[in-house]
Amino acid sequence: MELLDNLALGFSTALLVQNVLYCFVGVLLGTAVGVLPGIGPTATVAMLLPITFSFEPVTALIMLAGIYYGAQYGGSTTAILINLPGESSAAVTALDGHEMARQGRAGPALAAAAIGSFVAGTVATVALAAAAPPLASVALKFGPADYFSLVLFGLIVSIALARGTALKALAMIALGVLLGTVGQDIYTGTPRFVFEQRELYGGIDFVSVAVGLFGVAEILRNLENEQTRTAIVSKVINLWPTREDRRRIVAPILRGTGLGAALGVLPGGGHVLASFTSYAVEKRISRRPQEFGRGAIEGVAGPESANNAAAQTSFIPLLTLGLPAHPVMALMIGAFIVHGITPGPNVINDEPALFWGLIASMWIGNVLLLLLNLPLIGLWVRMLRIPYQVLFPMIILFAAIGTYSLNSNAYDVYAIAFFGILGYILIKCGCEPAPLLLGFVLGPLLEENLRRALIISRGDPSVFLTRPISAALLALAVVALVVAVLPTIRRRRAVVFAEED
């Protein structure tokens, strides 16, 4: 009954006119950036973050969340129609979705993706509502040593899911943690790494780092290697799947939903891993494995369900532990903080309307996405004809204006340029910026809990091993690090990211 009362509170919040409006704006923008290759939800959320600072906290978070899971929907449209995934997790959908489109069956492929996404999003939202309260209750029992080990475990696991070698991912995390220490010491107030620059005493601005690394750097990369995006798509007909299609997609949708819901909580790229894992499972257990890669509808329904379920359950560690499972979730932590809310297990008690309103809005967003995607396919494809040389300067201009408006400080705009160039250099060197952002967000939390635990234990480092929860998490971190560097795992990661590209 308590869960029903909480959901009633959530829907009463989410159904307020302004919240429904901004939920619609979020999923609309998310679908658009999912369709347009080279932008993605991370860059979009980073660049729209400054605009939301004047909103109510729940309204801002509903809109930003809508952008994220809306992009998971939108990425499948161009993957199916023109074999050009708009979002990384939609790369595997193109394998069979585009083959179906070439056979004149684009309609059933798009419908399978939309139906699977809706079912998975709905089920995963229920799972989020059911799992979040008990996890938050457990998290309240964590001490500083336990939190340190939990954050360390999350950072180590993200290495296994990052592009490139494990060593490069580890270096990016270390660089992110180092950048997170810039500013005044949290206990003594001593300036660290400020190089006598007054603007650095308060630390490096989170929004500038995010916009630079994921907005400007991604734009520079796309301008260097522009893809032809001319869409020549015949009219999509017979949108509704046949009875045989419906029979074949039921089980993949259910399996994909389960896989995505489980893998979405993993730090790094759980939604990408979920879609590839779902495809591999469907191909392995299918009675018609020879059809995969040649237009098997199961190869569309399963991965699309998995990546949308993962998009929803990636909010579980954010809302219950204050830990991001994905770069977009790191940006969501930034949104919590700038609105004066500390993300973590206390949110469910301190801000119940925000907590349950955000969860309820995800179901509303899934309904809106179902209504948006299929009827507006023609619009999404026409968006692909917008020239890069028009689109990208506008994006950078609005991002710079939004960031400057936060503190009215030109230094933040210079920081965008610096981190944009840094991000571009890192990408050219084969390093993924996502672990850097996770390290930047979690670094201060790691340091604070490390020092707090040592202060409480009077400098005794054995406190991390004598507390059962902390010891178990450290053991899991060691296992995750060993697994990440095993030759077999390295080869599997290389195959996945090669297919994604």
mmCIF file of all heavy atoms in Angstrom, residues 371-420:
data_model
loop_
_atom_site.group_PDB
_atom_site.id
_atom_site.type_symbol
_atom_site.label_atom_id
_atom_site.label_comp_id
_atom_site.label_asym_id
_atom_site.label_seq_id
_atom_site.Cartn_x
_atom_site.Cartn_y
_atom_site.Cartn_z
ATOM 1 N N LEU A 371 3.554 7.759 -28.934
ATOM 2 C CA LEU A 371 2.702 8.588 -29.783
ATOM 3 C C LEU A 371 3.524 9.442 -30.744
ATOM 4 O O LEU A 371 3.060 9.806 -31.829
ATOM 5 C CB LEU A 371 1.827 9.500 -28.908
ATOM 6 C CG LEU A 371 0.856 8.784 -27.961
ATOM 7 C CD1 LEU A 371 0.139 9.791 -27.069
ATOM 8 C CD2 LEU A 371 -0.166 7.965 -28.749
ATOM 9 N N LEU A 372 4.759 9.775 -30.354
ATOM 10 C CA LEU A 372 5.600 10.645 -31.182
ATOM 11 C C LEU A 372 6.315 9.903 -32.309
ATOM 12 O O LEU A 372 6.426 10.421 -33.421
ATOM 13 C CB LEU A 372 6.677 11.310 -30.311
ATOM 14 C CG LEU A 372 6.338 12.626 -29.609
ATOM 15 C CD1 LEU A 372 7.497 13.025 -28.721
ATOM 16 C CD2 LEU A 372 6.065 13.719 -30.632
ATOM 17 N N ASN A 373 6.812 8.697 -32.000
ATOM 18 C CA ASN A 373 7.771 8.079 -32.904
ATOM 19 C C ASN A 373 7.181 7.617 -34.223
ATOM 20 O O ASN A 373 7.676 7.992 -35.284
ATOM 21 C CB ASN A 373 8.468 6.903 -32.206
ATOM 22 C CG ASN A 373 9.749 7.330 -31.537
ATOM 23 O OD1 ASN A 373 10.819 7.091 -32.049
ATOM 24 N ND2 ASN A 373 9.637 8.010 -30.408
ATOM 25 N N LEU A 374 6.146 6.805 -34.180
ATOM 26 C CA LEU A 374 5.633 6.235 -35.424
ATOM 27 C C LEU A 374 4.938 7.258 -36.319
ATOM 28 O O LEU A 374 5.216 7.305 -37.515
ATOM 29 C CB LEU A 374 4.702 5.050 -35.106
ATOM 30 C CG LEU A 374 5.395 3.862 -34.414
ATOM 31 C CD1 LEU A 374 4.403 2.757 -34.126
ATOM 32 C CD2 LEU A 374 6.535 3.339 -35.274
ATOM 33 N N PRO A 375 4.049 8.127 -35.795
ATOM 34 C CA PRO A 375 3.379 9.078 -36.700
ATOM 35 C C PRO A 375 4.325 10.113 -37.310
ATOM 36 O O PRO A 375 4.022 10.662 -38.366
ATOM 37 C CB PRO A 375 2.343 9.763 -35.781
ATOM 38 C CG PRO A 375 2.180 8.853 -34.613
ATOM 39 C CD PRO A 375 3.516 8.210 -34.424
ATOM 40 N N LEU A 376 5.451 10.401 -36.663
ATOM 41 C CA LEU A 376 6.323 11.488 -37.124
ATOM 42 C C LEU A 376 7.614 10.996 -37.774
ATOM 43 O O LEU A 376 8.621 11.717 -37.801
ATOM 44 C CB LEU A 376 6.660 12.408 -35.942
ATOM 45 C CG LEU A 376 5.476 13.109 -35.269
ATOM 46 C CD1 LEU A 376 5.958 13.980 -34.130
ATOM 47 C CD2 LEU A 376 4.688 13.946 -36.274
ATOM 48 N N ILE A 377 7.588 9.785 -38.305
ATOM 49 C CA ILE A 377 8.797 9.233 -38.923
ATOM 50 C C ILE A 377 9.303 10.135 -40.044
ATOM 51 O O ILE A 377 10.503 10.400 -40.175
ATOM 52 C CB ILE A 377 8.520 7.806 -39.450
ATOM 53 C CG1 ILE A 377 8.472 6.829 -38.278
ATOM 54 C CG2 ILE A 377 9.597 7.366 -40.437
ATOM 55 C CD1 ILE A 377 7.980 5.463 -38.644
ATOM 56 N N GLY A 378 8.392 10.634 -40.867
ATOM 57 C CA GLY A 378 8.789 11.507 -41.971
ATOM 58 C C GLY A 378 9.525 12.741 -41.491
ATOM 59 O O GLY A 378 10.517 13.173 -42.100
ATOM 60 N N LEU A 379 9.065 13.319 -40.376
ATOM 61 C CA LEU A 379 9.720 14.509 -39.819
ATOM 62 C C LEU A 379 11.132 14.195 -39.367
ATOM 63 O O LEU A 379 12.075 14.951 -39.645
ATOM 64 C CB LEU A 379 8.893 15.043 -38.651
ATOM 65 C CG LEU A 379 9.530 16.174 -37.831
ATOM 66 C CD1 LEU A 379 9.715 17.418 -38.693
ATOM 67 C CD2 LEU A 379 8.689 16.493 -36.601
ATOM 68 N N TRP A 380 11.309 13.075 -38.672
ATOM 69 C CA TRP A 380 12.633 12.727 -38.152
ATOM 70 C C TRP A 380 13.620 12.503 -39.297
ATOM 71 O O TRP A 380 14.792 12.892 -39.205
ATOM 72 C CB TRP A 380 12.558 11.469 -37.280
ATOM 73 C CG TRP A 380 11.587 11.556 -36.146
ATOM 74 C CD1 TRP A 380 10.621 10.651 -35.826
ATOM 75 C CD2 TRP A 380 11.462 12.600 -35.177
ATOM 76 N NE1 TRP A 380 9.907 11.066 -34.735
ATOM 77 C CE2 TRP A 380 10.408 12.263 -34.308
ATOM 78 C CE3 TRP A 380 12.139 13.806 -34.960
ATOM 79 C CZ2 TRP A 380 10.012 13.063 -33.251
ATOM 80 C CZ3 TRP A 380 11.743 14.614 -33.904
ATOM 81 C CH2 TRP A 380 10.698 14.241 -33.072
ATOM 82 N N VAL A 381 13.161 11.888 -40.369
ATOM 83 C CA VAL A 381 14.070 11.654 -41.491
ATOM 84 C C VAL A 381 14.438 12.961 -42.185
ATOM 85 O O VAL A 381 15.588 13.163 -42.589
ATOM 86 C CB VAL A 381 13.434 10.661 -42.487
ATOM 87 C CG1 VAL A 381 14.305 10.520 -43.723
ATOM 88 C CG2 VAL A 381 13.248 9.299 -41.834
ATOM 89 N N ARG A 382 13.467 13.872 -42.301
ATOM 90 C CA ARG A 382 13.769 15.162 -42.938
ATOM 91 C C ARG A 382 14.782 15.972 -42.131
ATOM 92 O O ARG A 382 15.530 16.772 -42.683
ATOM 93 C CB ARG A 382 12.478 15.971 -43.138
ATOM 94 C CG ARG A 382 11.668 15.527 -44.354
ATOM 95 C CD ARG A 382 10.612 16.562 -44.715
ATOM 96 N NE ARG A 382 9.562 16.651 -43.700
ATOM 97 C CZ ARG A 382 8.483 15.876 -43.675
ATOM 98 N NH1 ARG A 382 8.316 14.948 -44.611
ATOM 99 N NH2 ARG A 382 7.577 16.021 -42.740
ATOM 100 N N MET A 383 14.811 15.754 -40.815
ATOM 101 C CA MET A 383 15.792 16.456 -39.980
ATOM 102 C C MET A 383 17.223 16.131 -40.375
ATOM 103 O O MET A 383 18.147 16.922 -40.155
ATOM 104 C CB MET A 383 15.583 16.107 -38.504
ATOM 105 C CG MET A 383 14.416 16.793 -37.854
ATOM 106 S SD MET A 383 14.317 16.378 -36.108
ATOM 107 C CE MET A 383 15.903 16.949 -35.535
ATOM 108 N N LEU A 384 17.421 14.951 -40.974
ATOM 109 C CA LEU A 384 18.763 14.543 -41.362
ATOM 110 C C LEU A 384 19.336 15.415 -42.472
ATOM 111 O O LEU A 384 20.530 15.360 -42.756
ATOM 112 C CB LEU A 384 18.743 13.081 -41.825
ATOM 113 C CG LEU A 384 18.473 12.050 -40.723
ATOM 114 C CD1 LEU A 384 18.168 10.704 -41.316
ATOM 115 C CD2 LEU A 384 19.653 11.967 -39.777
ATOM 116 N N ARG A 385 18.479 16.203 -43.126
ATOM 117 C CA ARG A 385 18.946 17.030 -44.232
ATOM 118 C C ARG A 385 19.474 18.393 -43.772
ATOM 119 O O ARG A 385 19.926 19.188 -44.591
ATOM 120 C CB ARG A 385 17.798 17.225 -45.224
ATOM 121 C CG ARG A 385 17.401 15.903 -45.893
ATOM 122 C CD ARG A 385 16.166 16.022 -46.745
ATOM 123 N NE ARG A 385 15.806 14.700 -47.282
ATOM 124 C CZ ARG A 385 14.593 14.367 -47.690
ATOM 125 N NH1 ARG A 385 13.622 15.242 -47.623
ATOM 126 N NH2 ARG A 385 14.353 13.149 -48.149
ATOM 127 N N ILE A 386 19.404 18.662 -42.459
ATOM 128 C CA ILE A 386 19.958 19.921 -41.948
ATOM 129 C C ILE A 386 21.484 19.866 -42.080
ATOM 130 O O ILE A 386 22.123 18.961 -41.558
ATOM 131 C CB ILE A 386 19.583 20.143 -40.471
ATOM 132 C CG1 ILE A 386 18.057 20.166 -40.300
ATOM 133 C CG2 ILE A 386 20.197 21.434 -39.953
ATOM 134 C CD1 ILE A 386 17.615 20.234 -38.855
ATOM 135 N N PRO A 387 22.110 20.829 -42.787
ATOM 136 C CA PRO A 387 23.573 20.775 -42.976
ATOM 137 C C PRO A 387 24.319 20.921 -41.650
ATOM 138 O O PRO A 387 23.920 21.690 -40.776
ATOM 139 C CB PRO A 387 23.859 21.976 -43.896
ATOM 140 C CG PRO A 387 22.539 22.352 -44.482
ATOM 141 C CD PRO A 387 21.495 21.967 -43.472
ATOM 142 N N TYR A 388 25.414 20.191 -41.535
ATOM 143 C CA TYR A 388 26.241 20.291 -40.331
ATOM 144 C C TYR A 388 26.725 21.717 -40.115
ATOM 145 O O TYR A 388 26.798 22.194 -38.989
ATOM 146 C CB TYR A 388 27.460 19.358 -40.473
ATOM 147 C CG TYR A 388 27.263 17.974 -39.941
ATOM 148 C CD1 TYR A 388 26.017 17.362 -39.979
ATOM 149 C CD2 TYR A 388 28.319 17.251 -39.383
ATOM 150 C CE1 TYR A 388 25.839 16.078 -39.497
ATOM 151 C CE2 TYR A 388 28.145 15.961 -38.900
ATOM 152 C CZ TYR A 388 26.896 15.379 -38.962
ATOM 153 O OH TYR A 388 26.719 14.130 -38.484
ATOM 154 N N GLN A 389 27.100 22.379 -41.202
ATOM 155 C CA GLN A 389 27.682 23.714 -41.055
ATOM 156 C C GLN A 389 26.679 24.732 -40.529
ATOM 157 O O GLN A 389 27.051 25.815 -40.094
ATOM 158 C CB GLN A 389 28.277 24.199 -42.376
ATOM 159 C CG GLN A 389 27.304 24.263 -43.534
ATOM 160 C CD GLN A 389 27.356 23.017 -44.388
ATOM 161 O OE1 GLN A 389 27.556 21.921 -43.853
ATOM 162 N NE2 GLN A 389 27.203 23.180 -45.693
ATOM 163 N N VAL A 390 25.388 24.398 -40.542
ATOM 164 C CA VAL A 390 24.351 25.252 -39.952
ATOM 165 C C VAL A 390 24.025 24.784 -38.536
ATOM 166 O O VAL A 390 23.913 25.579 -37.599
ATOM 167 C CB VAL A 390 23.076 25.239 -40.822
ATOM 168 C CG1 VAL A 390 21.939 25.990 -40.124
ATOM 169 C CG2 VAL A 390 23.355 25.835 -42.192
ATOM 170 N N LEU A 391 23.917 23.476 -38.378
ATOM 171 C CA LEU A 391 23.467 22.902 -37.103
ATOM 172 C C LEU A 391 24.476 23.103 -35.982
ATOM 173 O O LEU A 391 24.144 23.572 -34.894
ATOM 174 C CB LEU A 391 23.184 21.413 -37.312
ATOM 175 C CG LEU A 391 22.615 20.634 -36.123
ATOM 176 C CD1 LEU A 391 21.213 21.100 -35.786
ATOM 177 C CD2 LEU A 391 22.611 19.135 -36.421
ATOM 178 N N PHE A 392 25.733 22.765 -36.226
ATOM 179 C CA PHE A 392 26.709 22.728 -35.147
ATOM 180 C C PHE A 392 27.109 24.101 -34.612
ATOM 181 O O PHE A 392 27.263 24.272 -33.397
ATOM 182 C CB PHE A 392 27.937 21.924 -35.586
ATOM 183 C CG PHE A 392 27.701 20.443 -35.573
ATOM 184 C CD1 PHE A 392 28.632 19.558 -36.055
ATOM 185 C CD2 PHE A 392 26.521 19.916 -35.062
ATOM 186 C CE1 PHE A 392 28.418 18.182 -36.035
ATOM 187 C CE2 PHE A 392 26.290 18.557 -35.035
ATOM 188 C CZ PHE A 392 27.236 17.688 -35.522
ATOM 189 N N PRO A 393 27.305 25.137 -35.455
ATOM 190 C CA PRO A 393 27.580 26.465 -34.886
ATOM 191 C C PRO A 393 26.454 26.969 -33.989
ATOM 192 O O PRO A 393 26.708 27.611 -32.961
ATOM 193 C CB PRO A 393 27.736 27.357 -36.127
ATOM 194 C CG PRO A 393 28.161 26.440 -37.209
ATOM 195 C CD PRO A 393 27.459 25.157 -36.931
ATOM 196 N N MET A 394 25.203 26.653 -34.356
ATOM 197 C CA MET A 394 24.071 27.062 -33.519
ATOM 198 C C MET A 394 24.125 26.365 -32.167
ATOM 199 O O MET A 394 23.881 26.981 -31.118
ATOM 200 C CB MET A 394 22.750 26.744 -34.227
ATOM 201 C CG MET A 394 22.474 27.608 -35.448
ATOM 202 S SD MET A 394 20.981 27.076 -36.313
ATOM 203 C CE MET A 394 19.759 27.240 -35.016
ATOM 204 N N ILE A 395 24.484 25.077 -32.176
ATOM 205 C CA ILE A 395 24.563 24.315 -30.922
ATOM 206 C C ILE A 395 25.630 24.917 -30.011
ATOM 207 O O ILE A 395 25.401 25.144 -28.815
ATOM 208 C CB ILE A 395 24.877 22.833 -31.212
ATOM 209 C CG1 ILE A 395 23.689 22.169 -31.918
ATOM 210 C CG2 ILE A 395 25.197 22.086 -29.921
ATOM 211 C CD1 ILE A 395 23.980 20.768 -32.407
ATOM 212 N N ILE A 396 26.816 25.203 -30.565
ATOM 213 C CA ILE A 396 27.903 25.765 -29.757
ATOM 214 C C ILE A 396 27.529 27.156 -29.242
ATOM 215 O O ILE A 396 27.815 27.502 -28.083
ATOM 216 C CB ILE A 396 29.206 25.827 -30.575
ATOM 217 C CG1 ILE A 396 29.722 24.417 -30.836
ATOM 218 C CG2 ILE A 396 30.267 26.635 -29.855
ATOM 219 C CD1 ILE A 396 31.013 24.355 -31.624
ATOM 220 N N LEU A 397 26.867 27.946 -30.065
ATOM 221 C CA LEU A 397 26.469 29.294 -29.647
ATOM 222 C C LEU A 397 25.529 29.241 -28.448
ATOM 223 O O LEU A 397 25.750 29.931 -27.440
ATOM 224 C CB LEU A 397 25.786 30.015 -30.818
ATOM 225 C CG LEU A 397 25.187 31.390 -30.488
ATOM 226 C CD1 LEU A 397 26.292 32.367 -30.097
ATOM 227 C CD2 LEU A 397 24.390 31.935 -31.675
ATOM 228 N N PHE A 398 24.492 28.411 -28.534
ATOM 229 C CA PHE A 398 23.534 28.322 -27.430
ATOM 230 C C PHE A 398 24.190 27.734 -26.176
ATOM 231 O O PHE A 398 23.865 28.136 -25.045
ATOM 232 C CB PHE A 398 22.323 27.487 -27.841
ATOM 233 C CG PHE A 398 21.388 28.206 -28.768
ATOM 234 C CD1 PHE A 398 21.136 27.732 -30.044
ATOM 235 C CD2 PHE A 398 20.754 29.380 -28.368
ATOM 236 C CE1 PHE A 398 20.277 28.408 -30.908
ATOM 237 C CE2 PHE A 398 19.897 30.057 -29.211
ATOM 238 C CZ PHE A 398 19.653 29.574 -30.492
ATOM 239 N N ALA A 399 25.116 26.793 -26.349
ATOM 240 C CA ALA A 399 25.814 26.214 -25.200
ATOM 241 C C ALA A 399 26.663 27.273 -24.494
ATOM 242 O O ALA A 399 26.669 27.364 -23.259
ATOM 243 C CB ALA A 399 26.691 25.057 -25.657
ATOM 244 N N ALA A 400 27.357 28.099 -25.279
ATOM 245 C CA ALA A 400 28.205 29.145 -24.689
ATOM 246 C C ALA A 400 27.363 30.191 -23.976
ATOM 247 O O ALA A 400 27.698 30.623 -22.862
ATOM 248 C CB ALA A 400 29.051 29.801 -25.787
ATOM 249 N N ILE A 401 26.237 30.584 -24.595
ATOM 250 C CA ILE A 401 25.353 31.571 -23.955
ATOM 251 C C ILE A 401 24.787 31.017 -22.649
ATOM 252 O O ILE A 401 24.757 31.705 -21.618
ATOM 253 C CB ILE A 401 24.209 31.970 -24.913
ATOM 254 C CG1 ILE A 401 24.767 32.759 -26.102
ATOM 255 C CG2 ILE A 401 23.151 32.790 -24.183
ATOM 256 C CD1 ILE A 401 23.752 33.019 -27.196
ATOM 257 N N GLY A 402 24.346 29.756 -22.683
ATOM 258 C CA GLY A 402 23.771 29.134 -21.480
ATOM 259 C C GLY A 402 24.778 29.027 -20.358
ATOM 260 O O GLY A 402 24.469 29.317 -19.195
ATOM 261 N N THR A 403 26.008 28.624 -20.680
ATOM 262 C CA THR A 403 27.044 28.494 -19.649
ATOM 263 C C THR A 403 27.436 29.850 -19.078
ATOM 264 O O THR A 403 27.618 29.995 -17.862
ATOM 265 C CB THR A 403 28.282 27.793 -20.241
ATOM 266 O OG1 THR A 403 27.891 26.556 -20.832
ATOM 267 C CG2 THR A 403 29.319 27.530 -19.171
ATOM 268 N N TYR A 404 27.564 30.850 -19.946
ATOM 269 C CA TYR A 404 27.923 32.199 -19.478
ATOM 270 C C TYR A 404 26.850 32.765 -18.552
ATOM 271 O O TYR A 404 27.152 33.457 -17.575
ATOM 272 C CB TYR A 404 28.109 33.128 -20.677
ATOM 273 C CG TYR A 404 28.420 34.561 -20.282
ATOM 274 C CD1 TYR A 404 29.702 34.928 -19.891
ATOM 275 C CD2 TYR A 404 27.421 35.529 -20.282
ATOM 276 C CE1 TYR A 404 29.980 36.231 -19.507
ATOM 277 C CE2 TYR A 404 27.696 36.835 -19.902
ATOM 278 C CZ TYR A 404 28.970 37.183 -19.521
ATOM 279 O OH TYR A 404 29.237 38.475 -19.141
ATOM 280 N N SER A 405 25.584 32.443 -18.841
ATOM 281 C CA SER A 405 24.482 32.997 -18.052
ATOM 282 C C SER A 405 24.465 32.491 -16.612
ATOM 283 O O SER A 405 23.829 33.094 -15.749
ATOM 284 C CB SER A 405 23.142 32.675 -18.727
ATOM 285 O OG SER A 405 22.888 31.280 -18.683
ATOM 286 N N LEU A 406 25.151 31.379 -16.332
ATOM 287 C CA LEU A 406 25.131 30.814 -14.973
ATOM 288 C C LEU A 406 25.792 31.752 -13.978
ATOM 289 O O LEU A 406 25.237 32.050 -12.919
ATOM 290 C CB LEU A 406 25.852 29.459 -14.950
ATOM 291 C CG LEU A 406 25.234 28.330 -15.761
ATOM 292 C CD1 LEU A 406 26.044 27.065 -15.578
ATOM 293 C CD2 LEU A 406 23.794 28.105 -15.333
ATOM 294 N N ASN A 407 27.020 32.187 -14.303
ATOM 295 C CA ASN A 407 27.786 33.021 -13.370
ATOM 296 C C ASN A 407 28.162 34.369 -13.969
ATOM 297 O O ASN A 407 28.861 35.147 -13.313
ATOM 298 C CB ASN A 407 29.074 32.288 -12.953
ATOM 299 C CG ASN A 407 28.792 30.949 -12.332
ATOM 300 O OD1 ASN A 407 27.952 30.833 -11.447
ATOM 301 N ND2 ASN A 407 29.477 29.912 -12.805
ATOM 302 N N SER A 408 27.724 34.620 -15.214
ATOM 303 C CA SER A 408 28.115 35.843 -15.946
ATOM 304 C C SER A 408 29.625 36.015 -15.930
ATOM 305 O O SER A 408 30.160 37.100 -15.703
ATOM 306 C CB SER A 408 27.424 37.072 -15.333
ATOM 307 O OG SER A 408 26.021 36.952 -15.428
ATOM 308 N N ASN A 409 30.315 34.893 -16.177
ATOM 309 C CA ASN A 409 31.772 34.883 -16.104
ATOM 310 C C ASN A 409 32.325 34.323 -17.410
ATOM 311 O O ASN A 409 32.055 33.172 -17.776
ATOM 312 C CB ASN A 409 32.220 34.011 -14.923
ATOM 313 C CG ASN A 409 33.706 34.150 -14.646
ATOM 314 O OD1 ASN A 409 34.469 34.640 -15.479
ATOM 315 N ND2 ASN A 409 34.119 33.714 -13.465
ATOM 316 N N ALA A 410 33.106 35.148 -18.120
ATOM 317 C CA ALA A 410 33.680 34.709 -19.399
ATOM 318 C C ALA A 410 34.650 33.549 -19.208
ATOM 319 O O ALA A 410 34.901 32.783 -20.154
ATOM 320 C CB ALA A 410 34.388 35.876 -20.080
ATOM 321 N N TYR A 411 35.178 33.385 -17.997
ATOM 322 C CA TYR A 411 36.116 32.291 -17.731
ATOM 323 C C TYR A 411 35.477 30.938 -18.017
ATOM 324 O O TYR A 411 36.142 30.012 -18.488
ATOM 325 C CB TYR A 411 36.571 32.360 -16.271
ATOM 326 C CG TYR A 411 37.715 31.447 -15.933
ATOM 327 C CD1 TYR A 411 39.037 31.855 -16.131
ATOM 328 C CD2 TYR A 411 37.498 30.174 -15.430
ATOM 329 C CE1 TYR A 411 40.104 31.018 -15.827
ATOM 330 C CE2 TYR A 411 38.554 29.331 -15.123
ATOM 331 C CZ TYR A 411 39.847 29.752 -15.330
ATOM 332 O OH TYR A 411 40.898 28.928 -15.036
ATOM 333 N N ASP A 412 34.174 30.802 -17.742
ATOM 334 C CA ASP A 412 33.473 29.533 -17.994
ATOM 335 C C ASP A 412 33.425 29.218 -19.485
ATOM 336 O O ASP A 412 33.480 28.054 -19.882
ATOM 337 C CB ASP A 412 32.050 29.598 -17.429
ATOM 338 C CG ASP A 412 32.029 29.687 -15.913
ATOM 339 O OD1 ASP A 412 33.029 29.270 -15.289
ATOM 340 O OD2 ASP A 412 31.029 30.174 -15.348
ATOM 341 N N VAL A 413 33.316 30.243 -20.317
ATOM 342 C CA VAL A 413 33.303 30.030 -21.771
ATOM 343 C C VAL A 413 34.689 29.607 -22.247
ATOM 344 O O VAL A 413 34.822 28.731 -23.101
ATOM 345 C CB VAL A 413 32.839 31.304 -22.499
ATOM 346 C CG1 VAL A 413 32.812 31.079 -24.020
ATOM 347 C CG2 VAL A 413 31.454 31.721 -22.016
ATOM 348 N N TYR A 414 35.740 30.231 -21.682
ATOM 349 C CA TYR A 414 37.098 29.812 -22.021
ATOM 350 C C TYR A 414 37.317 28.346 -21.615
ATOM 351 O O TYR A 414 37.992 27.592 -22.329
ATOM 352 C CB TYR A 414 38.141 30.684 -21.308
ATOM 353 C CG TYR A 414 38.056 32.154 -21.636
ATOM 354 C CD1 TYR A 414 38.397 33.128 -20.703
ATOM 355 C CD2 TYR A 414 37.640 32.592 -22.901
ATOM 356 C CE1 TYR A 414 38.332 34.482 -20.995
ATOM 357 C CE2 TYR A 414 37.564 33.939 -23.202
ATOM 358 C CZ TYR A 414 37.901 34.878 -22.245
ATOM 359 O OH TYR A 414 37.824 36.218 -22.545
ATOM 360 N N ALA A 415 36.735 27.960 -20.470
ATOM 361 C CA ALA A 415 36.862 26.577 -20.006
ATOM 362 C C ALA A 415 36.207 25.603 -20.979
ATOM 363 O O ALA A 415 36.716 24.498 -21.204
ATOM 364 C CB ALA A 415 36.253 26.433 -18.606
ATOM 365 N N ILE A 416 35.071 26.010 -21.559
ATOM 366 C CA ILE A 416 34.419 25.169 -22.570
ATOM 367 C C ILE A 416 35.377 24.914 -23.732
ATOM 368 O O ILE A 416 35.535 23.776 -24.201
ATOM 369 C CB ILE A 416 33.123 25.827 -23.092
ATOM 370 C CG1 ILE A 416 32.039 25.806 -22.029
ATOM 371 C CG2 ILE A 416 32.614 25.112 -24.346
ATOM 372 C CD1 ILE A 416 30.768 26.499 -22.471
ATOM 373 N N ALA A 417 35.999 25.983 -24.207
ATOM 374 C CA ALA A 417 36.933 25.854 -25.328
ATOM 375 C C ALA A 417 38.105 24.950 -24.957
ATOM 376 O O ALA A 417 38.511 24.071 -25.737
ATOM 377 C CB ALA A 417 37.436 27.234 -25.754
ATOM 378 N N PHE A 418 38.656 25.129 -23.737
ATOM 379 C CA PHE A 418 39.797 24.318 -23.306
ATOM 380 C C PHE A 418 39.425 22.842 -23.248
ATOM 381 O O PHE A 418 40.144 21.980 -23.785
ATOM 382 C CB PHE A 418 40.284 24.793 -21.938
ATOM 383 C CG PHE A 418 41.331 23.896 -21.329
ATOM 384 C CD1 PHE A 418 42.646 23.972 -21.750
ATOM 385 C CD2 PHE A 418 40.976 22.972 -20.353
ATOM 386 C CE1 PHE A 418 43.610 23.137 -21.191
ATOM 387 C CE2 PHE A 418 41.930 22.126 -19.801
ATOM 388 C CZ PHE A 418 43.252 22.218 -20.218
ATOM 389 N N PHE A 419 38.301 22.532 -22.590
ATOM 390 C CA PHE A 419 37.922 21.120 -22.447
ATOM 391 C C PHE A 419 37.414 20.539 -23.764
ATOM 392 O O PHE A 419 37.496 19.320 -23.970
ATOM 393 C CB PHE A 419 36.880 20.967 -21.335
ATOM 394 C CG PHE A 419 37.482 21.061 -19.963
ATOM 395 C CD1 PHE A 419 37.317 22.203 -19.195
ATOM 396 C CD2 PHE A 419 38.253 20.029 -19.457
ATOM 397 C CE1 PHE A 419 37.894 22.308 -17.939
ATOM 398 C CE2 PHE A 419 38.829 20.123 -18.203
ATOM 399 C CZ PHE A 419 38.654 21.266 -17.445
ATOM 400 N N GLY A 420 36.910 21.390 -24.650
ATOM 401 C CA GLY A 420 36.549 20.905 -25.974
ATOM 402 C C GLY A 420 37.771 20.431 -26.744
ATOM 403 O O GLY A 420 37.763 19.352 -27.343
#
